[in-house]
Amino acid sequence: LWYEHSLGQEAYFELLADYRHEDEWASEGPVYDPVPVFPGRVIYDKGAWILHTLRGRMGDGPFFGILQEWASAGDRPHETVITQELIDLASAWAGEPLDDFFWPYLEEIYLPQIVFDYEIGEGLAGEDTKLTVNLRQNQTRLFDNVYPLVVTTSSSVTTERVSQDTRNKSVDYEYPEAITQVELDPEQWVLWNEAGPEPETSGLELVYPNPSRGGYVVFRYSLAQT
């Protein structure tokens, strides 16, 4: 936030990108129970990314309201807190339960693996004015996220918000003009990865770190059939 305040939002996004080291995060375990606790990067860098994703989901007004109330109100100043208290406060400001947003990020070492595709077809306003968006989560545990979808037409740019807390999500949009470009979360407000193609071979694909420094070791293993 200080980078954004002093250098602008572009510097803010660049700093977040520099702090995204997913293999290192995974080697230290989940945010909720990392090894080691200090000086582990997962609690700082992935933790910051979770709050960044929350900010993108809620908008600046509610997000900064949470920060102000968290630091100054209730019984929190100069006392101890638990994770659920932050989740409950954020849920109150958001007007929706956020447990399914927070806990997968806190308890799992993987991120949402999203398959994104879309179709442009004939809509109410003519050719290329209807958009069908399909999202699929490929990881085991489902995440609850809201993804910005930036749609460009011949004369305007619109940002839709696609919520997904199920395995598959499909949604249709109509526009008054022909669609020329469709992008999912181009500014990277959400902590996610685009799912790659299914592996063609089975066996051990990754051991990280190698050699091990102790603590968590991550194995990636593909099965030819489940």
Side-chain angles (χ1 to χ4, degrees), residues 75-88:
D75 298 326
R76 288 178 295 275
H78 310 296
E79 299 295 336
T80 57
V81 294
I82 61 173
T83 302
Q84 190 62 50
E85 290 180 72
L86 176 62
I87 295 174
D88 291 343

Side-chain angles (χ1 to χ4, degrees), residues 53-128:
T53 300
L54 178 66
R55 178 187 178 185
R57 179 182 184 128
M58 301 182 67
D60 280 3
F63 177 76
F64 287 107
I66 290 172
L67 298 190
Q68 181 68 30
E69 183 173 342
W70 180 253
S72 62
D75 298 326
R76 288 178 295 275
H78 310 296
E79 299 295 336
T80 57
V81 294
I82 61 173
T83 302
Q84 190 62 50
E85 290 180 72
L86 176 62
I87 295 174
D88 291 343
L89 179 64
S91 298
W93 276 89
E96 61 172 332
L98 292 176
D99 294 76
D100 291 340
F101 164 76
F102 274 103
W103 284 114
Y105 278 122
L106 295 171
E107 293 181 329
E108 305 296 343
I109 64 172
Y110 52 75
L111 301 178
Q113 303 294 311
I114 303 299
V115 177
F116 165 59
D117 64 71
Y118 63 90
E119 297 179 1
I120 299 174
E122 185 171 357
L124 298 176
E127 187 176 357
D128 297 335

Side-chain angles (χ1 to χ4, degrees), residues 112-116 136 138-139 192-200:
Q113 303 294 311
I114 303 299
V115 177
F116 165 59
R136 174 178 171 79
N138 270 6
Q139 76 288 339
W192 67 288
N193 282 317
E194 185 174 359
E198 295 295 326
E200 298 180 357

Side-chain angles (χ1 to χ4, degrees), residues 147-212:
Y147 295 91
L149 180 75
V150 180
V151 181
T152 304
T153 67
S154 53
S155 66
S156 65
V157 178
T158 304
T159 299
E160 311 287 0
R161 294 173 58 79
V162 184
S163 60
Q164 184 186 28
D165 59 1
T166 57
R167 179 72 61 191
N168 296 288
K169 179 66 177 285
S170 180
V171 60
D172 293 331
Y173 299 98
E174 294 276 354
Y175 297 93
E177 301 169 315
I179 300 161
T180 58
Q181 187 177 35
V182 180
E183 299 173 281
L184 185 67
D185 191 22
E187 292 186 316
Q188 298 185 27
W189 277 105
V190 183
L191 185 57
W192 67 288
N193 282 317
E194 185 174 359
E198 295 295 326
E200 298 180 357
T201 59
S202 62
L204 185 64
E205 297 179 341
L206 173 70
V207 180
Y208 182 88
N210 186 13
S212 171

